[in-house]
Amino acid sequence: CLMMIPCVFSSGTVSAQEVYVHISHSDIYDFLDELANAGIIEINSAVKPYSRIYIAKRLDEASRELKDLNKRQQQELDFYLKDYGKELHADRNFDRRKDLFYYKDSLFTFTFNPILGLRYSVNDSGSFYHRWSGAEAWAYAGAHFGFYASLRDNHESKILSDPSWLNREEAMNYKPDTKGGGDYDEVRGGISYAWNWGSVALVKDHTEWGDNYHGSNILSGHNPSYTFLKLHMNPVRWFDFNYIHGWLVSDVIDSSRTYSIGQSNRIVFQPKFIAANLFTFIPWKRLQLSVGNSIIYSDQNVHPAYLIPFLFYKSVDHSLSSSGSNFLGQNSQLFFNISSRNIKNVHLYSSLFVDEVALGRALKPKEQTNFISFKAGVRLSNFLLDNAFLTAEYTQTNPITYRHYLISATYATSDYNLGHYLGDNSREVYLSIGYKPLSKLMVDAWWMLAQKGYEYKYNGISGDPSGNGKGLPLLSRVYWQDTEAGIKARYQWIHDVWVVASFTRSDIHGMMENEYTMPWMIGKQNTITFGVNLGF
């Protein structure tokens, strides 16, 4: 099977079609990361999700280097090619995975699978569970069009996510019940048109920008999914470009358009959008330098200037705002990312998110705080021991970062921050050791220290020393802290069927523990979790 893939791929049977693999499919993302760290393939890990064809091509490249893979890696490669080999073969006649329904001919390809899952946890405060069910499908038509959709109905016995809670649970908008739990449904999907060196798509999904292994500080994907236009271009080996324009949820009521219907009110929210681009340059193999910018704009309809993918949006905002009307401006950001895999089996990475920076202010001791978030980390894959992984990551976010004095222009959707899950005035240290004793089984042990300070007043008035954001110290006092250690085992039995078990010992305390923590995780907790799921 493996030896035949390169011949099939090189024969030109692969079309330029794209559907996206959600970032929750961490197993395939981690495997590609491992192969890239070993120098077997090259990936742009600063931008996720990947498309199925992108993953298939990277797996095909790895199949040409079998001599460089250990036994466990070869077994995993063979396992994933049974799924993503659909993109590499002209027909159905190969050793492929089982699907509930799969069809392919020269014009049309279609896959349909069910989704079913349960996660049950018990700790010192009691027990809670999350169950979900639904279905997902994806299709290709002709040589360029891709389609995908998924629908999941969820119930949580206790609500696990809230915009104010500092955790990495899936962010959702709930319909609460009377017992402290809630229901929600989540639909994702899109349509794309692709060619050999690029694609355009309209999707409702999650997106993640910035290299990380425990939460990005640029676009983290830790928010409810939203709809966005997506453009990707990779015209030459040394340059990769990504752009999105998204329709966010402001949760800010537009009172002028809100009206009554009988005994009820029709609540209308202010429109809110994001435009963002990321230019990635590859000066030599396995080194990627990325720079980009974004803008959150609101209180108007979609502006055509923000549909131009390559612009510096802060300057666009200046040209659209009247002279002296700073309060009518929008919220712009600048970000950088560097990823190096130049040392075999070592991934060094760092990202910088700049919400507002002034070099002149940085030279003044009393005004030294800039609105930035910084992340740096390293992962060692198979470095001293085959199938072992070591990760160390540090994140620091200064006060006021991600926030804005216009409540309709914050770096958020549905009140969930688009950046790092801890928000501003925070710090996180994350360490983990992973081991794969056999194919498709991952055992992780980790330790984490997360801290958050006071959320200072911010009104954007330069002459107001109590609210202009200048000179604010990082974590002068810790208002919330989570010290956590745990171990987790995760096994993919067959394609898209996972069994998970974990034990976590956490200690969450501080003056803001009630505001920042789900009630059943406050204090010292020993949490045992079991889960099984078919699909995500």
Side-chain angles (χ1 to χ4, degrees):
C1 167
L2 287 175
M3 299 306 293
M4 290 298 294
I5 295 293
C7 298
V8 173
F9 180 67
S10 61
S11 66
T13 59
V14 178
S15 299
Q17 299 159 307
E18 289 193 351
V19 297
Y20 303 103
V21 179
H22 193 261
I23 55 179
S24 60
H25 288 254
S26 58
D27 301 76
I28 183 61
Y29 282 94
D30 287 343
F31 184 60
L32 293 181
D33 184 82
E34 178 186 354
L35 296 177
N37 294 351
I40 295 169
I41 64 172
E42 285 195 67
I43 58 174
N44 182 4
S45 53
V47 178
K48 299 181 181 76
Y50 304 152
S51 67
R52 284 186 59 89
I53 186 61
Y54 182 88
I55 294 173
K57 288 179 178 180
R58 303 294 83 77
L59 295 175
D60 174 75
E61 292 172 11
S63 71
R64 304 165 189 258
E65 307 293 339
L66 291 180
K67 65 182 185 301
D68 296 326
L69 304 180
N70 63 38
K71 181 179 179 181
R72 190 269 307 167
Q73 290 172 327
Q74 292 182 20
Q75 291 173 342
E76 288 199 10
L77 177 60
D78 188 38
F79 176 79
Y80 288 119
L81 280 171
K82 290 179 181 179
D83 186 354
Y84 297 96
K86 296 173 184 176
E87 276 72 17
L88 304 175
H89 288 265
D91 54 36
R92 302 173 40 164
N93 300 322
F94 69 100
D95 184 16
R96 56 182 172 82
R97 61 163 288 177
K98 301 299 182 182
D99 297 285
L100 184 63
F101 181 80
Y102 176 64
Y103 175 83
K104 183 167 187 173
D105 61 26
S106 60
L107 177 65
F108 185 67
T109 300
F110 180 78
T111 298
F112 177 87
N113 281 306
I115 295 171
L116 189 64
L118 173 67
R119 184 180 64 169
Y120 177 83
S121 298
V122 59
N123 66 10
D124 300 272
S125 295
S127 62
F128 47 93
Y129 64 85
H130 174 199
R131 68 169 185 261
W132 63 97
S133 59
E136 61 184 358
W138 58 268
Y140 298 134
H144 301 282
F145 285 100
F147 312 86
Y148 73 104
S150 67
L151 175 63
R152 295 159 174 79
D153 183 68
N154 296 260
H155 173 74
E156 293 175 356
S157 63
K158 295 180 179 178
I159 289 177
L160 303 178
S161 179
D162 184 271
S164 64
W165 293 349
L166 304 179
N167 62 36
R168 299 178 68 242
E169 295 286 342
E170 185 176 12
M172 284 299 158
N173 296 312
Y174 291 88
K175 180 182 178 181
D177 60 28
T178 58
K179 299 179 180 180
D183 299 284
Y184 66 90
D185 53 27
E186 169 73 346
V187 62
R188 302 192 297 261
I191 178 173
S192 68
Y193 181 89
W195 55 98
N196 288 337
W197 52 270
S199 64
V200 292
L202 176 63
V203 302
K204 181 181 182 291
D205 214 329
H206 297 91
T207 189
E208 180 179 288
W209 287 8
D211 277 285
N212 74 94
Y213 294 96
H214 198 250
S216 173
N217 62 338
I218 299 178
L219 287 172
S220 68
H222 178 66
N223 49 262
S225 62
Y226 56 89
T227 305
F228 56 92
L229 290 168
K230 174 182 175 70
L231 170 66
H232 172 238
M233 295 191 298
N234 183 210
V236 291
R237 186 205 64 81
W238 52 267
F239 176 66
D240 194 64
F241 177 77
N242 286 272
Y243 162 83
I244 63 169
H245 183 283
W247 283 254
L248 305 178
V249 178
S250 71
D251 277 344
V252 177
I253 297 175
D254 185 344
S255 58
S256 66
R257 294 194 296 153
T258 296
Y259 55 93
S260 298
I261 306 176
Q263 301 297 316
S264 302
N265 291 327
R266 173 63 171 175
I267 298 176
V268 181
F269 296 104
Q270 293 278 15
K272 182 177 182 179
F273 310 95
I274 181 174
N277 56 38
L278 190 69
F279 301 79
T280 300
F281 300 93
I282 309 167
W284 56 81
K285 284 187 176 181
R286 293 181 282 280
L287 176 64
Q288 298 168 343
L289 309 175
S290 300
V291 58
N293 80 112
S294 62
I295 191 163
I296 307 291
Y297 69 102
S298 62
D299 308 324
Q300 58 180 289
N301 292 321
V302 174
H303 197 288
Y306 299 126
L307 294 174
I308 302 174
F310 315 104
L311 296 184
F312 181 55
Y313 298 118
K314 186 176 182 67
S315 294
V316 173
D317 179 38
H318 289 167
S319 67
L320 297 178
S321 301
S322 301
S323 176
S325 60
N326 291 335
F327 271 83
L328 299 180
Q330 308 299 336
N331 182 14
S332 57
Q333 301 82 34
L334 184 66
F335 29 83
F336 306 87
N337 188 85
I338 181 170
S339 170
S340 170
R341 295 181 169 92
N342 298 99
I343 303 172
K344 187 176 181 180
N345 293 320
V346 178
H347 183 200
L348 298 168
Y349 58 95
S350 181
S351 57
L352 177 67
F353 178 95
V354 183
D355 205 354
E356 179 184 327
V357 65
L359 295 179
R361 183 202 309 166
L363 300 177
K364 301 177 182 179
K366 294 183 179 181
E367 299 180 5
Q368 60 186 351
T369 306
N370 286 305
F371 306 163
I372 63 174
S373 177
F374 170 75
K375 177 182 285 288
V378 58
R379 169 164 283 192
L380 310 180
S381 304
N382 302 284
F383 188 69
L384 297 176
L385 177 67
D386 271 0
N387 306 318
F389 309 85
L390 175 65
T391 306
E393 189 168 290
Y394 175 80
T395 309
Q396 174 180 307
T397 304
N398 286 353
I400 312 301
T401 310
Y402 303 127
R403 295 165 58 194
H404 199 262
Y405 47 80
L406 297 177
I407 59 174
S408 60
T410 56
Y411 195 71
T413 184
S414 300
D415 289 332
Y416 285 91
N417 183 26
L418 296 173
H420 196 261
Y421 76 100
L422 289 177
D424 74 314
N425 199 13
S426 65
R427 176 168 52 209
E428 181 190 76
V429 180
Y430 173 77
L431 303 172
S432 74
I433 299 175
Y435 184 63
K436 287 191 171 182
L438 53 89
S439 174
K440 301 175 293 177
L441 172 63
M442 182 67 169
V443 180
D444 273 305
W446 76 90
W447 176 87
M448 180 191 75
L449 173 65
Q451 298 175 315
K452 186 172 176 67
Y454 179 69
E455 288 195 356
Y456 296 97
K457 173 186 174 183
Y458 181 52
N459 57 27
I461 302 175
S462 59
D464 180 1
S466 66
N468 61 17
K470 296 181 179 180
L472 300 176
L474 173 72
L475 291 172
S476 61
R477 182 175 181 181
V478 175
Y479 278 66
W480 177 93
Q481 177 171 297
D482 179 10
T483 305
E484 183 177 300
I487 186 168
K488 179 179 181 179
R490 174 184 173 94
Y491 180 64
Q492 187 172 186
W493 176 43
I494 57 176
H495 290 89
D496 287 346
V497 177
W498 286 265
V499 180
V500 180
S502 68
F503 170 77
T504 304
R505 183 174 178 82
S506 60
D507 181 6
I508 300 177
H509 63 271
M511 293 178 60
M512 301 294 288
E513 61 184 25
N514 293 316
E515 288 76 8
Y516 292 154
T517 315
M518 60 179 74
W520 33 93
M521 292 301 294
I522 295 175
K524 294 182 178 180
Q525 299 284 346
N526 296 288
T527 305
I528 299 174
T529 299
F530 297 98
V532 59
N533 58 284
L534 168 63
F536 283 95

